Amino acid sequence: MIIHLTPFILCALMFFHPVVSHAANITQIIKADRPETSELMEHQSDLIVSVHLDQHIRKWDTGQRLPSGEHFINAEQILHIHNQLKGQAPSPALLLTTGVEPLPDPESPLNTQYTGPLADGDYVLFLKHFQDPNHFILSGGFCAVYPVVFGKLIALDDGFKEFGGKTIPELQQLLHSE
C-alpha cells in the first residue's frame, strides 16, 4: 500500500509545493546612477532595444524600508522586443526595477533614484545585464528610458536631449556613427 501511495504523494508535492522563481529571490535595491554622457550610457549598455511593455508587472517586497516608513519593492516586466539596436536579447528578456511604495510626492528625488516599473507603452531602453542572462536593469534610471510616440523618441526630463525627436532608424544610425 505504501508503494502505491508514494507516486501520489510525490505528484501532490509537485503540484502543491510553491515554486519560487529566481526573480522573487532578488531583494537587492536597484538605484539609478545617471551616466555623464549619452556616449557613456551607450558604452555601458549591454542591450539597446525597441520594446513594448504591457500591464503585466510582477512585484514583490524587498524587505527593506526607508527611515520614513516607505518600503522598497522590486518589479519584473517582460520586454516584448521589436528591434535590437545593440546586443543580443535572450528569451525571455526581463526588466528589473526598484520602486518605493507608497509612491513618493512627484517632486521627491526618490522618483529619479528608483524608477519602479514602467507604464504600458513602447520604448527604446538602454539596459545592463543583472545577475543572470535574462534580467536587465536600466543603464542609469530614467535617462535610459525613451518613450516612442508616433514613431519618435521622447527625451524625458532626465534623458539625453540628442535622442529626443529621433525615429528608431535615426537613433540606430546615430548610435553606430559614434
Side-chain angles (χ1 to χ4, degrees), residues 5 22-24 65 71 76 80 86 93 123 139 152 155 174:
L5 287 178
H22 183 267
R65 299 193 181 285
H71 59 276
E76 179 183 82
H80 302 282
K86 178 184 177 183
Y123 299 91
S139 296
K152 296 197 180 230
L174 178 66

Side-chain angles (χ1 to χ4, degrees), residues 13-72:
L13 285 174
M14 285 181 2
F15 286 112
F16 296 111
H17 182 69
V19 176
V20 179
S21 76
H22 183 267
N25 295 326
I26 298 174
T27 56
Q28 183 176 339
I29 304 298
I30 300 158
K31 185 176 179 183
D33 291 318
R34 186 180 194 275
E36 291 182 26
T37 65
S38 62
E39 292 85 8
L40 185 57
M41 181 175 68
E42 177 188 355
H43 177 73
Q44 292 175 344
S45 296
D46 298 309
L47 189 63
I48 302 172
V49 288
S50 164
V51 302
H52 178 77
L53 295 175
D54 59 29
Q55 296 176 353
H56 296 97
I57 301 169
R58 204 170 73 74
K59 295 182 189 179
W60 61 95
D61 197 307
T62 65
Q64 300 178 54
R65 299 193 181 285
L66 290 162
S68 54
E70 295 102 331
H71 59 276
F72 290 105

Side-chain angles (χ1 to χ4, degrees), residues 108-169:
S108 171
L110 291 172
N111 291 315
T112 54
Q113 293 173 338
Y114 307 102
T115 63
L118 300 178
D120 184 356
D122 294 322
Y123 299 91
V124 168
L125 302 176
F126 290 72
L127 304 167
K128 292 192 274 190
H129 280 286
F130 185 80
Q131 291 191 357
D132 66 64
N134 295 85
H135 283 95
F136 293 86
I137 60 172
L138 297 169
S139 296
F142 282 118
C143 74
V145 176
Y146 295 85
V148 179
V149 179
F150 300 119
K152 296 197 180 230
L153 279 67
I154 299 194
L156 302 174
D157 289 343
D158 208 29
F160 293 105
K161 302 306 175 212
E162 61 264 34
F163 297 147
K166 300 272 189 257
T167 64
I168 292 170

